[in-house]
Amino acid sequence: MGEGHIQKFVKSLKLRLVCWILASGLILVTVSWALQQFTDLDSLVQTGIIAALWITIAITIGNSLGSSIAKPTEYLAQSILHISPSEHLVSAPNLDNLRFGRELVTNLVRQTYDFATVAQQDAPSNTNYSTDIINQIPVAILGVDETGKITLANHQAENRFSDNLAIGQQLDDTLQFLTEDEMTMDTWLREAAEKSLTASKTWQKIEVKTRDGNSLGYFDIALSFNKHSGSGIEILIVFYDHSDIYDEEVNSISFVSMAVHELRSPLTIMRGYIDTFEDEMSSSLTPQIKDDLIKMKASAEQLSNFVSKILNVTRIDQGQLYLTLQEESWNTALPQIIDTLRNRATAYGKTIELRMQPDLPLVAIDRTTITEVVTNLIDNAVKYTPESPSTITVISQVNKDGLVETTVQDHGVGITSSVMPELFSKFQRNHRNRSKISGTGLGLYVSKAIVNAHHGNIWASSKEGQGSTFGFTLLPFSQLAKEDQNKNNEAIIRSSHGWIKNHSMQRR
Amino acid sequence: MDQPTRKVLCIEDERFIGELYKRALEKSAYTVDIIMDGQRGLEAALTNEYDIILLDIMVPQLLGIDILHELRTKLPDLKAKIVITTNLEQDDAARAKVEEEADGYLIKAEVTPRQLVEFLNQI
């Protein structure tokens, strides 16, 4: 069909119009003449009759011509709407009812449908196109709908997690996501759903485990939330597999743990025999030998503490130092800790004086690690007080903020002011004392991490040549429990980098 | 009045450590059997009656954790107190799991023989 058909249609339409107008004119003239010739009607009446006839003819012409022009347009519009994907209620035009311009309109409608069919065949499927792209992305991707069901898993996800998930399963029932981040995925999703239409966040070093607890590796994860996504996927999870990097970190801890185990065995034997000699032979030992035994014992304890310190430093650096804070009496715990250190102090000619405020509030402590803090501070006091005899004073009381504050004061060499800002950094040692006083510079670093994990503060004040005071605070257990909404006063687990979170990702 | 003698089974593969513990405990009215591999240790625990079982984790043939689990499973009414003695630094989750089933958990390098005796006297 070409332009000729359209010209033919237009010409035909014009001819129709001309014929109707001529016919109507002829009718009017004939009726007018007949009225004049064959009737005696008043001229006004005759005019009225002619006018009525003219109106009738005009309406008839209007309807007929209007229909001739409008109908083709109507059918064309109907056919276009019928093939439009957004218009589902418009039916196909019935061209049998069309009389004028049928050939043209039929051809136009047919061409419209042909064009639509070709266009549909040529256009790629949107769904297939997206899936192809997602399957080519070299990281695992999961899509989850608003009910928590997995609705999308790309090839990488299927390969990586194949035995542990399937489309249609609840993500919550298949995988768990362990993070040390303050903000868990669970919490973040809940907040995103309440406050946002779209949101995204990333986490580093998430351990993905099956529900049975089998580790599937370590990932950095990007999470995207879209409340009204047209695809039905409300949550998109992208997994960047860094198991090789993070496993290495975990393995380094394992190596250190094994090394610590190997070091501890001979230490156990050394300390055991020293203790046995003390116990069995004290009555027959000369004072000199007894004194020597005390020094051996102190050295063995020091070595034991150092071995623990190595492990703790590694764990702190990897964010793997976990504490269990339990409600304890500091009035009981601190004297017990100090008692274990008296021998060591005595070996170096120092005495420890302990002054405690009675009825201190119960505190939240991890006994093992807080013992290490006190031990480190006492060890430093002993180490940096060359003169003997000398007294190390330990004071514990409630401070003005209601916290249990413990200080360790010595009258030793003191610390130069230039060193103070970095005092609690790893391997930091006063250079002036480095050649005279042994040490690794790890004790305060470890102590700070432990005290911080206890929700406390640690500080130092010193005057060179006059001595130093180190102090730390502990939170009353009731205050810590209240802050963390742990109303049952159960043990609280903290990491050296903050709270440990161990939640599944999916909100409920 | 003499206290009744308490019987101790010490499952420990480090000979010197076992001897140190035996020496200290026998001075305090304990009798001590030392077994140096886990499988024989488990058999002894299942066969004989002990008041206390000192259980090292890293023993050959059968790990202490497995021995602990076997004892709790096969002898749910076991009266003996089971104390884990180890120099292994476990992560908190693993340690907590062990402590659930044990009556005590001691790091050997941090406890002298006399301190061990004091601890056992209290449990």
Side-chain angles (χ1 to χ4, degrees):
Chain A
M1 187 192 75
E3 205 169 319
H5 288 83
I6 300 169
Q7 296 287 350
K8 188 179 164 186
F9 172 77
V10 171
K11 212 181 271 185
S12 176
L13 195 64
K14 283 178 183 171
L15 190 63
R16 237 192 192 200
L17 186 61
V18 166
C19 287
W20 268 107
I21 293 170
L22 282 175
S24 62
L26 195 62
I27 292 168
L28 284 172
V29 166
T30 305
V31 168
S32 178
W33 176 80
L35 283 173
Q36 277 181 358
Q37 288 297 316
F38 300 111
T39 65
D40 291 324
L41 292 171
D42 190 58
S43 62
L44 192 63
V45 172
Q46 285 183 20
T47 307
I49 291 169
I50 297 297
L53 185 61
W54 182 74
I55 289 169
T56 306
I57 291 170
I59 290 172
T60 307
I61 292 173
N63 270 341
S64 176
L65 281 178
S67 185
S68 300
I69 297 167
K71 264 296 185 217
T73 310
E74 182 188 328
Y75 283 134
L76 272 174
Q78 197 174 339
S79 65
I80 291 169
L81 289 173
H82 180 238
I83 61 174
S84 166
S86 59
E87 295 290 338
H88 301 298
L89 300 178
V90 178
S91 56
N94 184 357
L95 298 176
D96 292 339
N97 297 330
L98 184 65
R99 284 193 290 276
F100 180 71
R102 189 167 170 178
E103 188 186 354
L104 175 68
V105 174
T106 303
N107 279 320
L108 283 174
V109 168
R110 190 173 293 139
Q111 286 207 3
T112 303
Y113 276 104
D114 288 345
F115 177 76
T117 304
V118 168
Q120 205 166 36
Q121 280 168 356
D122 286 348
S125 159
N126 284 339
T127 309
N128 290 339
Y129 192 57
S130 303
T131 306
D132 283 344
I133 290 174
I134 283 174
N135 280 329
Q136 285 184 41
I137 295 173
V139 292
I141 298 177
L142 291 181
V144 176
D145 70 9
E146 60 177 8
T147 67
K149 227 183 296 179
I150 299 168
T151 55
L152 168 76
N154 71 344
H155 286 331
Q156 283 292 330
E158 285 169 359
N159 291 339
R160 194 73 176 78
F161 307 126
S162 60
D163 296 333
N164 301 292
L165 62 82
I167 302 289
Q169 267 183 317
Q170 288 287 328
L171 181 68
D172 233 1
D173 294 338
T174 53
L175 298 176
Q176 48 178 327
F177 301 80
L178 278 63
T179 176
E180 291 165 19
D181 200 308
E182 289 275 346
M183 173 67 74
T184 65
M185 293 185 190
D186 227 351
T187 307
W188 180 83
L189 268 175
R190 206 165 19 247
E191 287 178 7
E194 282 167 16
K195 297 174 189 167
S196 318
L197 290 176
T198 61
S200 62
K201 187 168 163 56
T202 55
W203 283 264
Q204 284 185 316
K205 201 179 172 183
I206 302 274
E207 187 180 8
V208 178
K209 284 187 168 184
T210 65
R211 273 289 152 205
D212 298 332
N214 294 323
S215 180
L216 297 173
Y218 290 85
F219 301 83
D220 292 344
I221 287 180
L223 202 67
S224 167
F225 169 76
N226 186 339
K227 200 167 188 140
H228 297 299
S229 95
S231 63
I233 294 173
E234 196 173 78
I235 302 159
L236 202 66
I237 314 166
V238 182
F239 299 77
Y240 300 90
D241 193 342
H242 289 313
S243 297
D244 52 347
I245 299 169
Y246 293 135
D247 270 348
E248 207 176 288
E249 291 177 3
V250 169
N251 286 340
S252 76
I253 296 176
S254 299
F255 167 74
V256 171
S257 296
M258 210 26 105
V260 161
H261 176 260
E262 293 304 307
L263 285 169
R264 274 176 168 169
S265 289
L267 253 176
T268 304
I269 295 167
M270 274 168 56
R271 291 187 72 188
Y273 279 111
I274 292 169
D275 187 61
T276 302
F277 290 159
E278 254 190 343
D279 182 34
E280 293 178 2
M281 297 166 64
S282 58
S283 57
S284 57
L285 292 174
T286 65
Q288 180 63 58
I289 301 287
K290 278 187 191 173
D291 192 49
D292 291 344
L293 262 180
I294 289 173
K295 288 172 185 164
M296 281 170 67
K297 193 171 166 182
S299 293
E301 283 171 9
Q302 218 168 343
L303 185 55
S304 177
N305 288 339
F306 177 66
V307 166
S308 292
K309 215 179 288 184
I310 294 172
L311 192 67
N312 282 341
V313 167
T314 308
R315 285 183 162 180
I316 288 165
D317 285 348
Q318 305 290 353
Q320 298 280 334
L321 181 68
Y322 299 129
L323 314 182
T324 302
L325 303 183
Q326 291 185 311
E327 194 175 17
E328 284 210 42
S329 162
W330 195 231
N331 282 111
T332 304
L334 183 59
Q336 286 175 348
I337 297 169
I338 296 293
D339 281 346
T340 65
L341 299 170
R342 288 190 194 280
N343 272 345
R344 191 178 309 178
T346 305
Y348 289 94
K350 314 289 184 284
T351 52
I352 303 175
E353 182 191 345
L354 176 60
R355 301 208 291 257
M356 287 193 87
Q357 178 184 321
D359 301 322
L360 289 170
L362 297 175
V363 292
I365 57 170
D366 175 277
R367 177 68 88 102
T368 306
T369 53
I370 208 65
T371 298
E372 185 162 347
V373 170
V374 175
T375 303
N376 284 338
L377 298 185
I378 299 282
D379 267 353
N380 280 348
V382 166
K383 209 185 300 179
Y384 289 97
T385 310
E387 288 176 12
S388 299
S390 184
T391 300
I392 297 164
T393 309
V394 180
I395 300 172
S396 194
Q397 60 196 350
V398 175
N399 69 9
K400 58 179 171 52
D401 298 320
L403 306 174
V404 176
E405 182 179 288
T406 303
T407 55
V408 176
Q409 184 188 24
D410 66 66
H411 302 282
V413 297
I415 306 166
T416 53
S417 53
S418 59
V419 171
M420 292 297 281
E422 297 300 321
L423 200 60
F424 294 96
S425 303
K426 214 189 308 182
F427 305 126
Q428 176 59 43
R429 297 202 61 229
N430 187 344
H431 67 282
R432 289 187 197 175
N433 293 320
R434 211 173 281 163
S435 57
K436 298 179 211 159
I437 300 173
S438 67
T440 56
L442 293 175
L444 290 178
Y445 172 74
V446 169
S447 298
K448 183 173 192 297
I450 292 169
V451 168
N452 287 347
H454 278 79
H455 223 279
N457 288 317
I458 189 168
W459 70 91
S461 63
S462 183
K463 202 147 188 177
E464 201 171 357
Q466 293 184 24
S468 307
T469 300
F470 284 79
F472 63 93
T473 56
L474 294 171
L475 213 59
F477 187 85
S478 55
Q479 196 174 329
L480 184 67
K482 191 177 163 189
E483 279 182 14
D484 297 317
Q485 297 169 345
N486 185 346
K487 294 188 171 42
N488 294 324
N489 277 354
E490 291 164 1
I492 297 164
I493 300 177
R494 299 213 65 186
S495 81
S496 59
H497 291 261
W499 292 105
I500 298 168
K501 298 296 182 180
N502 187 357
H503 293 293
S504 65
M505 186 213 75
Q506 193 58 41
R507 63 185 186 277
R508 301 200 184 279
Chain B
M1 191 172 75
D2 289 335
Q3 281 187 348
T5 305
R6 294 175 91 191
K7 277 189 73 180
V8 177
L9 171 63
C10 180
I11 304 175
E12 169 63 61
D13 66 327
E14 271 287 349
R15 185 158 65 96
F16 294 157
I17 294 176
E19 283 176 7
L20 277 165
Y21 289 167
K22 184 179 168 83
R23 198 159 149 183
L25 286 165
E26 285 181 345
K27 281 196 300 197
S28 298
Y30 289 89
T31 60
V32 182
D33 292 339
I34 300 177
I35 296 184
M36 294 175 66
D37 85 68
Q39 190 58 52
R40 290 197 306 115
L42 174 62
E43 285 161 13
L46 290 171
T47 312
N48 307 315
E49 270 195 34
Y50 291 98
D51 298 294
I52 294 169
I53 300 172
L54 294 178
L55 186 49
D56 185 16
I57 290 181
M58 298 290 284
V59 282
Q61 305 305 324
L62 190 63
L63 289 179
I65 297 169
D66 297 325
I67 296 172
L68 176 64
H69 187 65
E70 284 287 304
L71 288 175
R72 290 303 185 207
T73 308
K74 288 185 173 156
L75 300 174
D77 298 325
L78 180 70
K79 288 189 173 53
K81 302 290 184 189
I82 305 177
V83 177
I84 299 290
T85 57
T86 182
N87 276 327
L88 193 67
E89 193 72 23
Q90 293 184 293
D91 65 59
D92 275 352
R95 177 168 171 164
K97 211 168 163 183
V98 171
E99 283 184 300
E100 265 176 30
E101 288 190 299
D103 298 295
Y105 190 106
L106 300 173
I107 302 288
K108 287 185 277 189
E110 294 172 4
V111 169
T112 63
R114 279 189 288 177
Q115 286 169 338
L116 173 71
V117 172
E118 275 172 34
F119 180 81
L120 296 186
N121 285 344
Q122 287 166 24
I123 62 165

